[in-house]
């Protein structure tokens, strides 16, 4: 570059520079290019690989570019001198010089590095990908960085399992590549209220709420107006999993048909009735209200809170903490709360009137298994009484210790023994 630069007149350099700048515009392609590794070889030869070098000889940076050449080929848009520009900025300017003057601009180092025979774009533009949220429902998408495939449903990217491809008739030849961050940022479940069915077929219809797929009965299909909504096919594996999920705790729901005017709050898969007095007092009126299938709601309202769920009155009127055991809310002292390990579980605020009704029950439901700290005996509730279980009652195909709920001694002490 040094010897070549001295041979160029200012006029010749400027004319060549203008031609180099104009050529890509005229042809639509780079007139010449070289990979970063080739430019590194040039810099190693010209400046011992030092991209910030300034020895005072009138040539600067890794490519030893003179100021007149730097200015002529637009380098000053990056920095006042080549050595003050980044490596990438020097290479981009070098690309323009290469296009205008060829590798002879670096008479010795250019040919030695293979500058004239390397036509690789050193900094190719990133590919442009479509916004996945703008794609039609049913479009298969994937990131260029991984093998996972999703199907677009109402702005969500629902995962497609390998086992779904054939039965669900997904055509992998029609996959659309999307930006990696956009792909990973897609919601994995369709928006609440989306009606879905198994893409592989079947008569079942579901409505999505908080990532859970709630079954819609034949009676609810028209009575609740679900038949008027778009019915989207989703991957079989995803639907099977979503059908086992529960609606998020704290979600307020109602019968979509309006036949039941009551409001409920979801806690661990159970729908707990909210009284009129608690609707506003407990702040339920400020939450999003979601309509759900009537038959599904009836089932959720009849379902007991799971054993071991720790609850309290959401209003704070009752400061006590309770643990659920067979549909009975069992009060816990602070010693019980910490000693039985319930302080390590989530504490769910629930409607006070519902809590009073389950706390007033005489005993847990039949079949509930209890363990209290005063002994190692596991008791099973039968007709409001307790019966001691022996070790041989547990095991494969029998009762499971996982279903035993720890309760205060006060509860087991008050239950008569069978």
């Amino acid at each position: 570059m040094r010897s070549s630069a001295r041979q160029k007149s200012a006029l010749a350099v400027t004319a060549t520079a203008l031609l180099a700048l104009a050529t890509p515009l005229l042809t639509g392609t780079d007139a010449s290019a070289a990979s970063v590794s080739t430019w590194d070889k040039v810099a190693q030869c010209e400046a011992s690989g030092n991209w910030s070098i300034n020895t005072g000889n009138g040539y600067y940076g890794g490519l030893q570019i003179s100021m007149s050449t730097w200015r002529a080929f637009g380098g000053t848009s990056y920095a006042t001198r080549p050595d003050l520009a980044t490596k990438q900025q020097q290479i981009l300017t070098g690309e323009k010089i290469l296009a205008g003057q060829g590798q002879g601009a670096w008479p010795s180092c250019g040919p030695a590095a293979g500058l004239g025979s390397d036509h690789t774009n050193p900094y190719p533009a990133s590919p442009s990908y479509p916004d996945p949220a703008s794609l039609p429902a049913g479009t298969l998408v994937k990131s260029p960085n991984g093998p996972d495939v999703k199907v677009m449903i109402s702005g969500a990217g629902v995962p497609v399992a390998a086992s779904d491809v054939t039965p669900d008739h997904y055509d992998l030849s029609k996959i659309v590549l999307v930006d990696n961050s956009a792909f990973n940022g897609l919601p994995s479940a369709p928006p609440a209220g989306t009606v879905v069915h198994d893409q592989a077929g079947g008569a079942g219809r579901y409505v999505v709420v908080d990532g859970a797929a709630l079954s819609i009965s034949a009676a609810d299909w028209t009575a609740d107006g679900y038949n008027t909504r778009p019915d989207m096919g989703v991957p079989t594996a995803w639907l099977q999993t979503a059908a086992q999920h529960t609606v998020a705790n704290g979600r307020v729901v109602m019968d979509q048909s309006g036949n039941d005017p009551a409001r409920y709050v979801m806690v661990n898969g159970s729908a707990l009735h909210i009284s009129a007095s608690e609707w506003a007092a407990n702040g339920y009126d400020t939450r999003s209200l979601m309509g759900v299938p009537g038959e599904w709601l009836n089932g959720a309202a009849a379902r007991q809170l799971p054993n071991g769920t720790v609850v309290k009155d959401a209003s704070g009127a009752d400061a006590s903490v309770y643990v659920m055991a067979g549909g009975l809310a069992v009060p816990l002292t602070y010693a019980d709360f910490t000693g039985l390990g319930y302080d390590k579980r989530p504490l769910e605020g629930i409607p006070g009137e519902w809590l009073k009704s389950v706390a007033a029950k005489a005993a847990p439901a039949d079949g509930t298994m209890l363990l209290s700290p005063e002994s190692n005996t596991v008791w099973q509730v039968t007709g409001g009484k307790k019966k001691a279980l022996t070790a041989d009652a547990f095991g494969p195909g029998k009762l499971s210790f996982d279903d035993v709920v720890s309760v205060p001694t006060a509860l087991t002490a008050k239950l008569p023994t069978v």
Side-chain angles (χ1 to χ4, degrees):
M1 182 68 193
R2 292 189 289 272
S3 61
S4 174
R6 292 191 183 102
Q7 295 168 4
K8 298 286 184 182
S9 68
L11 180 59
V13 168
T14 302
T16 305
L18 291 174
L19 178 61
L21 293 172
T23 299
L25 298 177
L26 295 172
T27 64
T29 60
D30 291 335
S32 187
S35 64
V36 172
S37 62
T38 297
W39 284 113
D40 279 333
K41 293 176 184 177
V42 175
Q44 185 63 40
C45 175
E46 289 278 356
S48 300
N50 186 348
W51 292 88
S52 302
I53 194 169
N54 176 7
T55 63
N57 66 351
Y59 301 91
Y60 307 89
L63 304 181
Q64 289 291 281
I65 302 173
S66 69
M67 283 304 302
S68 60
T69 303
W70 182 252
R71 285 191 292 267
F73 286 90
T76 52
S77 64
Y78 299 127
T80 54
R81 291 198 315 266
D83 59 303
L84 301 179
T86 67
K87 172 183 174 179
Q88 180 176 353
Q89 291 167 346
Q90 291 180 56
I91 289 176
L92 289 174
T93 305
E95 287 279 305
K96 296 176 184 177
I97 298 170
L98 179 61
Q101 299 182 356
Q103 66 176 351
W106 298 268
S108 299
C109 295
L115 196 58
S117 59
D118 182 355
H119 304 295
T120 304
N121 187 340
Y123 300 107
S126 298
S128 177
Y129 297 113
D131 177 5
S134 68
L135 298 174
T139 302
L140 297 175
V141 298
K142 72 179 292 293
S143 161
N145 297 354
D148 293 343
V149 176
K150 300 178 182 179
V151 60
M152 296 304 302
I153 304 291
S154 301
V158 181
V160 176
S163 59
D164 293 324
V165 174
T166 299
D168 292 5
H169 306 291
Y170 289 123
D171 185 350
L172 299 185
S173 70
K174 296 182 179 179
I175 287 176
V176 176
L177 290 180
V178 298
D179 178 74
N180 183 64
S181 60
F183 179 82
N184 292 328
L186 288 170
S188 60
T194 304
V195 174
V196 299
H197 65 269
D198 187 342
Q199 176 68 15
R205 294 296 182 268
Y206 304 80
V207 61
V208 177
V209 178
D210 298 331
L214 314 185
S215 179
I216 303 171
S217 70
D220 288 326
W221 177 246
T222 53
D224 294 3
Y226 291 119
N227 61 318
T228 65
R229 303 184 189 183
D231 184 10
M232 314 299 296
V234 292
T236 303
W238 179 88
L239 181 58
Q240 290 173 345
T241 300
Q244 302 302 314
H245 286 174
T246 59
V247 176
N249 283 359
R251 166 71 81 169
V252 178
V253 297
M254 60 172 286
D255 182 345
Q256 174 67 22
S257 71
N259 291 333
D260 177 2
R263 302 293 186 263
Y264 301 81
V265 61
M266 297 302 302
V267 177
N268 291 351
S270 298
L272 313 184
H273 180 261
I274 303 170
S275 69
S277 62
E278 293 175 302
W279 175 246
N282 290 1
Y284 294 119
D285 61 328
T286 65
R287 303 185 191 181
S288 175
L289 177 61
M290 189 72 203
V292 295
E295 290 193 20
W296 180 90
L297 180 58
N298 291 338
R303 189 177 302 124
Q304 293 180 352
L305 268 181
N307 289 341
T309 302
V310 184
V311 298
K312 67 174 184 177
D313 183 345
S315 71
D318 177 1
S320 299
V321 174
Y322 301 78
V323 62
M324 298 303 302
L328 169 68
V330 183
L332 300 171
T333 64
Y334 183 75
D336 295 327
F337 182 60
T338 56
L340 298 175
Y342 289 122
D343 57 327
K344 298 178 177 61
R345 299 190 184 184
L347 179 58
E348 306 290 349
I350 62 175
E353 292 192 21
W354 187 92
L355 178 57
K356 287 178 183 178
S357 68
V358 293
K361 291 183 177 181
D366 284 358
T368 305
M369 293 183 290
L370 309 173
L371 176 66
S372 51
E374 86 286 350
S375 75
N376 292 326
T377 301
V378 175
W379 303 95
Q380 186 174 54
V381 178
T382 303
K385 299 179 181 181
K386 64 180 187 288
K387 178 179 70 175
L389 296 175
T390 58
D392 61 4
F394 295 87
K398 301 179 182 179
L399 299 175
S400 171
F401 285 108
D402 291 339
D403 297 325
V404 176
V405 56
S406 296
V407 296
T409 301
L411 175 62
T412 53
K414 79 172 188 178
L415 294 176
T417 304
V418 174

